[in-house]
Amino acid sequence: MLRTHTCGELRTEHIGQHVTLSGWVNRRRDMGGVIFIDLRDRYGKTQIVVDTGESAESAAIAEQIRPEYVVQVTGTVSARLPGQENPNMDTGDIELKVNDLTILNASKTPPMLIDRDGGEDETLRLKYRYLDLRKERMQRNLRIRHKAIKYIRDYLDNNEFLEVETPILFKSTPEGARDYLVPSRVHPGKFYALPQSPQQLKQLLMVGGYDRYFQIARCFRDEDQRADRQPEFTQLDVEMSFVERDDILDLIEDLVRGMVNATSTVPLAYEQFPRISYTEAVEKYGSDRPDLRYDLPLVDVSDIAGQSAFGVFANNVAAGNPVKALVVPGCGDYSRKQISELEELAKVNGAKGLAWLAIDPENEQIKGFIAKFFTVQQLIALTERLNAGPGDLILFSSDTRLVVRAVLGALRDEMATRLGYKDTNTLAFAWVIDFPLFEEEKEGDHYAPSHHMFTSPMPGDIPLLKTDPHAVKAAQYDLICNGYEVGGGSIRIHNRQLQRQIMELIGFSLAEAETQFGHMLEAFEYGAPPHGGIALGIDRLMALMAGEPNIREVMAFPKNQNATDVMADAPSAVVQRQLDDLHIALAGKALERVKSS
RNA sequence: GGGGACGUGGUGCAGCGGUUAGCACGCCGGCCUGUCAAGCCGGAGGUCGCGGGUUCAAAUCCCGUCGUUCCCGCCA
């Protein structure tokens, strides 16, 4: 071993011991007669002291040392001089007096400072990721990730789950996200697909009798990036047999609660996760993954506003559409410019305009271009319903139900940001349940599944499939946190008759089903147990738990927004021979680019 | 595919029509025996992303383009 201790380990009880440390030079402070070196590894920092009067040899080496040199130091652990202790360092009561100093490896001047979080350009961080990884921030984040995943494995192992690996090279299905494809050398013109999730495979494991399965599974989706989306990401994939919905929710909630309490830097807002229906989520918060760190509810005022002389409201209510409102505390003094920013946001989300009222903080007069269309009694009824007071701003939306949701949901989110309601030091988890089995709007003349084809209806709703499919609730659930979807799953259909019924409703022919899911349908004929499961987005969970705004910060080697690895320069061109092996000829843009390079 | 923001020594930024493009950190050299973002003195380092245009004059204004990022579309 090139060390006897780590750089975060030595304390006063080690004083007098002869030890060897190895690590990176964080900083060197040359006082002339004495040189201090902060030696760093991922466990901490220790101050090294070189006294030029005591060892000319070590002093000469210390003179050459620069930041990020890798050095080995042997010396005696000593108490710091009285008054020279550093309370900001874990090892601040001691220092290592050097007997022997060796440079294990030199370093070029790094393009960024390691001991300061510099806000460097993202390209720089990603190009020199191995240097970025030396920073405290990334080391802390990857440590949280490791601890959390270890917690998950231990928890599920204690509950009789088996971790099973499933193929990375699998089969493309046209549904869902765009697949990453891998050409086959052995089968010209055919392709594997990288899994978007192990969904089918875990259901087949249930048929195989592995009644409690999990996997820390890498997944791939070839879609455009976001702060919470990378081309490859990690799911905790879970599937169980002989369970009902609440068995899964209870288990996963206990797992997540324990994991957060044990490993997260950001604490839970509350221990018990609320279970809210999809209908409540979209009607009250305008989103199927509402941010529950704050309330700011959408309130239906159709009955009052429909009576007003404002044509838009009256006509919409007469047509059966809602008028809903959002009260924004303290924003009654918004300027014309600020209001028009909000109107722009409303329009982006489908609104034709933005109606608003503001209550004067002094004289309680109600301003806003629609005020004149309301009687005094109507205004009183409105403010009472909304619990709106002096200084408040009231934002309205009236349109189809879907547009009202989208508009006020977006405004709720925006106003929470502006009002500083998004506490970054709390995690507000919740379950969203009772999703409709089918989307509200049909695709052509067919129903569209809101999750996927294998999602089971709630058992009591099965008769409704024949009479009112839109009223059928699914045994589907999402785990949400701070406005993010961090997980989702369902109880699956294991009954062939029911599966066929659903396929007919969504316009999926037997022939189509056969080519895409033949292996699934056949498997289900050999004694598929009742089963269901969930998948949690590990990267999103880790980002939330580390208080990070982007999942790049919890991945060791992420890609940038263009799905490029700027460190390794991937994807990259390959030699013609490789293409020939794969029976691939470049065409179009790809061919032009190769010719011009 | 679309919209917003950003692009200036190694790094982070200021300058936003008119001197030799400025500041901090870093880097190089010197001084210094108790520092810990050490201090002091001196120094090097820039095609202002790239291309075109407007102007007597462009880092600065306009157009295009490339890169980064956030968002919309997309993500069963």
Side-chain angles (χ1 to χ4, degrees):
Chain A
M1 291 285 282
L2 299 183
R3 65 183 176 199
T4 60
H5 296 76
T6 70
C7 295
E9 199 175 344
L10 298 173
R11 297 290 185 276
T12 48
E13 63 258 34
H14 297 93
I15 287 171
Q17 288 186 24
H18 201 62
V19 303
T20 301
L21 300 182
S22 289
W24 287 265
V25 172
N26 194 58
R27 271 173 191 278
R28 186 182 66 120
R29 292 178 296 279
D30 186 345
M31 317 303 292
V34 59
I35 298 170
F36 297 100
I37 295 164
D38 291 336
L39 198 64
R40 160 170 47 80
D41 60 20
R42 75 180 175 87
Y43 307 92
K45 283 179 239 171
T46 300
Q47 175 164 285
I48 312 300
V49 191
V50 183
D51 193 321
T52 53
E54 286 181 20
S55 169
E57 200 181 327
S58 293
I61 293 170
E63 285 293 339
Q64 299 168 35
I65 282 174
R66 293 291 179 272
E68 301 313 311
Y69 273 41
V70 186
V71 301
Q72 181 186 36
V73 188
T74 299
T76 309
V77 182
S78 311
R80 292 206 183 180
L81 298 180
Q84 297 297 331
E85 301 88 355
N86 186 344
N88 300 319
M89 277 174 94
D90 290 338
T91 61
D93 288 333
I94 58 95
E95 60 194 7
L96 188 61
K97 287 206 186 301
V98 167
N99 293 121
D100 193 35
L101 181 62
T102 309
I103 296 175
L104 297 175
N105 210 345
S107 170
K108 291 167 73 175
T109 300
M112 60 175 110
L113 294 172
I114 305 302
D115 68 338
R116 235 181 282 180
D117 209 0
E120 296 89 356
D121 186 78
E122 205 60 24
T123 309
L124 190 78
R125 293 186 61 201
L126 292 178
K127 182 175 177 192
Y128 297 98
R129 191 58 164 181
Y130 41 85
L131 296 180
D132 199 50
L133 287 170
R134 285 183 195 165
K135 290 183 184 174
E136 202 179 342
R137 176 187 191 180
M138 287 304 300
Q139 298 207 336
R140 186 197 66 213
N141 290 350
L142 293 187
R143 184 181 166 79
I144 290 171
R145 186 174 181 130
H146 162 78
K147 290 290 182 195
I149 287 176
K150 175 162 175 8
Y151 185 96
I152 289 168
R153 284 206 162 98
D154 290 345
Y155 181 96
L156 293 173
D157 179 61
N158 288 336
N159 283 277
E160 294 300 330
F161 282 78
L162 286 190
E163 182 168 15
V164 181
E165 292 174 84
T166 54
I168 294 295
L169 296 176
F170 200 52
K171 183 182 164 78
S172 177
T173 49
E175 256 93 75
R178 198 175 293 111
D179 284 322
Y180 276 101
L181 296 177
V182 179
S184 166
R185 174 181 59 84
V186 183
H187 304 280
K190 293 188 175 177
F191 298 82
Y192 301 97
L194 308 184
Q196 297 179 23
S197 79
Q199 179 64 37
Q200 293 184 31
L201 294 155
K202 68 175 171 177
Q203 291 192 244
L204 294 170
L205 283 170
M206 293 303 108
V207 181
Y210 298 85
D211 65 328
R212 291 186 159 214
Y213 143 89
F214 83 100
Q215 182 178 191
I216 305 295
R218 194 64 64 85
C219 306
F220 306 85
R221 293 181 190 174
D222 188 2
E223 297 291 350
D224 288 345
Q225 311 307 302
R226 289 288 185 280
D228 62 347
R229 273 165 30 193
Q230 282 269 317
E232 54 179 304
F233 59 100
T234 304
Q235 285 186 346
L236 166 60
D237 197 43
V238 175
E239 196 78 4
M240 304 169 76
S241 295
F242 313 118
V243 290
E244 293 169 311
R245 182 192 73 186
D246 286 357
D247 299 318
I248 293 172
L249 300 195
D250 291 344
L251 178 104
I252 297 298
E253 180 171 333
D254 191 54
L255 165 61
V256 171
R257 183 189 303 122
M259 174 185 74
V260 172
N261 286 335
T263 66
S264 178
T265 55
V266 181
L268 291 172
Y270 35 73
E271 293 283 314
Q272 183 95 32
F273 300 177
R275 295 182 186 183
I276 61 176
S277 72
Y278 170 85
T279 305
E280 181 183 355
V282 296
E283 292 303 324
K284 188 170 175 189
Y285 303 111
S287 168
D288 61 0
R289 46 182 169 85
D291 192 337
L292 298 179
R293 284 174 294 180
Y294 49 90
D295 198 25
L296 221 54
L298 321 185
V299 180
D300 195 301
V301 294
S302 304
D303 51 337
I304 303 169
Q307 301 296 314
S308 75
F310 185 47
V312 174
F313 288 174
N315 294 339
N316 268 326
V317 171
N321 284 326
V323 181
K324 297 182 84 165
L326 176 70
V327 177
V328 190
C331 291
D333 58 349
Y334 257 35
S335 65
R336 187 180 296 252
K337 178 163 175 275
Q338 286 170 303
I339 295 280
S340 76
E341 285 167 1
L342 299 182
E343 179 163 19
E344 196 48 47
L345 180 63
K347 283 181 175 170
V348 167
N349 283 280
K352 295 174 190 72
L354 180 65
W356 56 277
L357 292 171
I359 308 175
D360 191 291
E362 306 292 323
N363 57 22
E364 302 195 19
Q365 279 218 320
I366 297 186
K367 299 173 292 187
F369 74 95
I370 63 168
K372 60 174 180 268
F373 298 112
F374 285 78
T375 66
V376 174
Q377 285 79 8
Q378 285 168 344
L379 288 175
I380 289 170
L382 205 53
T383 51
E384 277 178 2
R385 168 79 56 82
L386 294 168
N387 205 14
D392 290 351
L393 176 67
I394 307 170
L395 302 172
F396 293 90
S397 178
S398 179
D399 206 304
T400 63
R401 200 160 284 278
L402 291 179
V403 170
V404 169
R405 269 178 211 169
V407 169
L408 289 182
L411 287 169
R412 175 177 182 268
D413 183 67
E414 170 67 18
M415 297 321 295
T417 302
R418 290 182 182 224
L419 291 166
Y421 283 179
K422 296 186 176 176
D423 180 358
T424 53
N425 199 38
T426 192
L427 298 178
F429 282 94
W431 291 103
V432 179
I433 57 174
D434 293 340
F435 281 77
L437 187 63
F438 300 111
E439 298 281 352
E440 276 190 44
E441 288 178 4
K442 283 190 178 181
E443 269 175 16
D445 56 345
H446 290 295
Y447 292 88
S450 66
H451 191 45
H452 58 63
M453 207 174 75
F454 300 110
T455 301
S456 174
M458 289 298 278
D461 286 358
I462 290 174
L464 288 171
L465 284 170
K466 291 201 170 103
T467 55
D468 185 7
H470 275 311
V472 176
K473 298 277 189 271
Q476 183 200 333
Y477 32 85
D478 280 354
L479 181 65
I480 61 169
C481 181
N482 292 8
Y484 291 93
E485 181 193 328
V486 293
S490 62
I491 299 293
R492 330 293 181 187
I493 299 170
H494 64 278
N495 176 297
R496 181 156 180 80
Q497 201 54 43
L498 184 58
Q499 185 70 67
R500 184 168 300 194
Q501 201 177 353
I502 301 286
M503 276 164 40
E504 273 170 27
L505 283 164
I506 63 180
F508 214 72
S509 76
L510 270 181
E512 278 176 285
E514 200 53 46
T515 51
Q516 281 183 39
F517 300 113
H519 53 291
M520 296 282 289
L521 297 175
E522 187 176 17
F524 286 173
E525 296 190 55
Y526 287 98
H531 64 286
I534 192 166
L536 302 185
I538 291 291
D539 311 285
R540 287 180 188 174
L541 274 171
M542 295 308 121
L544 287 163
M545 283 167 47
E548 292 287 3
N550 193 303
I551 62 171
R552 281 194 302 267
E553 307 300 343
V554 295
M555 304 175 110
F557 297 102
K559 293 178 180 55
N560 72 5
Q561 184 118 42
N562 293 325
T564 302
D565 182 322
V566 292
M567 179 181 68
D569 185 31
S572 58
V574 297
V575 299
Q576 186 60 42
R577 168 73 193 279
Q578 291 174 288
L579 294 178
D580 294 344
D581 279 349
L582 296 169
H583 325 286
I584 285 179
L586 300 182
K589 270 189 197 169
L591 192 57
E592 287 166 31
R593 186 158 297 189
V594 168
K595 277 181 176 168
S596 67
S597 67

